[in-house]
């Protein structure tokens, strides 16, 4: 199955801003009832038979972010504008996403990148750009799609609130 990341709206049936109840129902629809993982947590995350992890983050009864973790099998693909974020090397994902929007190295984690205009975050535990056999560092391990303001510091949140009023 293909999962197309569509910022700022969501991915698949998971739409940023939907109620927690609707998000739980949408998340449950992505579970394969014939292969339920022991790691599944109702209302939090599912693991598909491919190993793809889909996790939701709700606050104040609203879906604020969706995180997808790299599958171990190619039965599920996670795409952003045609870029397969878990099959291509991290360096290539950054290059291709950079052709579409600004993407910056996370100042706190040099192996991670954020596309702030899209509220996308790409993570891997360490950088091993030139070593494909180091899968955890050569490829991204997760991608997070979030609501506007998700990454804001308290000062940025206050400024955003002031600008919207």
């Amino acid at each position: 199955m293909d999962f197309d990341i569509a910022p700022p709206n969501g991915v698949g049936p998971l739409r940023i801003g939907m109620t927690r109840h609707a998000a739980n129902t949408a998340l449950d629809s992505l579970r394969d009832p014939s292969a339920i993982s022991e790691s599944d947590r109702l209302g939090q995350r599912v693991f598909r038979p491919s190993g793809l992890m889909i996790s939701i983050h709700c606050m104040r009864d609203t879906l604020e972010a969706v995180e997808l973790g790299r599958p171990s099998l190619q039965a599920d693909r996670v795409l952003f504008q045609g870029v397969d974020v878990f099959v291509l090397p991290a360096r290539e994902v950054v290059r291709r996403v950079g052709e579409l929007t600004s993407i910056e190295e996370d100042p706190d984690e040099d192996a991670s990148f954020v596309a702030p205009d899209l509220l996308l975050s790409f993570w891997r535990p360490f950088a091993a750009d030139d070593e494909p056999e180091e899968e955890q560092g050569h490829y991204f391990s997760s991608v997070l799609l979030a609501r506007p303001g998700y990454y804001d510091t308290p000062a940025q949140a206050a400024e955003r609130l002031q600008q919207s009023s």
Side-chain angles (χ1 to χ4, degrees):
M1 173 181 255
D2 284 353
F3 291 86
D4 290 306
I5 301 169
N9 301 318
V11 57
L14 295 163
R15 311 320 278 166
I16 299 298
M18 69 188 338
T19 66
R20 175 183 288 278
H21 176 74
N24 289 346
T25 301
L27 181 65
D28 195 48
S29 76
L30 298 172
R31 180 177 282 113
D32 182 338
S34 68
I36 295 176
S37 169
E38 290 181 18
S39 298
D40 281 11
R41 296 288 174 263
L42 287 176
Q44 293 178 7
R45 67 177 174 264
V46 299
F47 283 84
R48 294 183 45 82
S50 68
L52 176 69
M53 183 269 308
I54 306 166
S55 175
I56 60 173
H57 305 270
C58 294
M59 202 169 195
R60 295 177 299 278
D61 196 40
T62 302
L63 180 62
E64 297 210 343
V66 179
E67 182 177 9
L68 298 113
R70 187 169 189 255
S72 50
L73 304 173
Q74 295 304 310
D76 289 320
R77 297 184 321 156
V78 177
L79 305 165
F80 171 68
Q81 299 285 317
V83 177
D84 192 327
V85 302
F86 294 132
V87 168
L88 294 172
R91 182 186 299 180
E92 182 66 12
V93 171
V94 170
R95 185 187 70 73
R96 290 191 185 185
V97 171
E99 292 173 354
L100 303 167
T101 189
S102 67
I103 186 165
E104 307 161 355
E105 190 173 307
D106 186 324
D108 298 325
E109 293 188 51
D110 61 359
S112 299
F113 292 82
V114 176
D117 296 339
L118 299 178
L119 300 153
L120 281 178
S121 176
F122 301 89
W123 179 84
R124 58 188 168 162
F126 58 89
D129 290 331
D130 297 324
E131 300 178 38
E133 63 278 358
E134 281 289 353
E135 285 192 24
Q136 289 188 19
H138 191 68
Y139 301 97
F140 283 117
S141 299
S142 70
V143 61
L144 180 112
L145 167 67
R147 63 151 178 83
Y150 186 80
Y151 295 115
D152 286 356
T153 64
Q156 290 169 323
E159 182 179 330
R160 180 186 298 273
L161 184 62
Q162 184 179 15
Q163 288 175 352
S164 67
S165 53

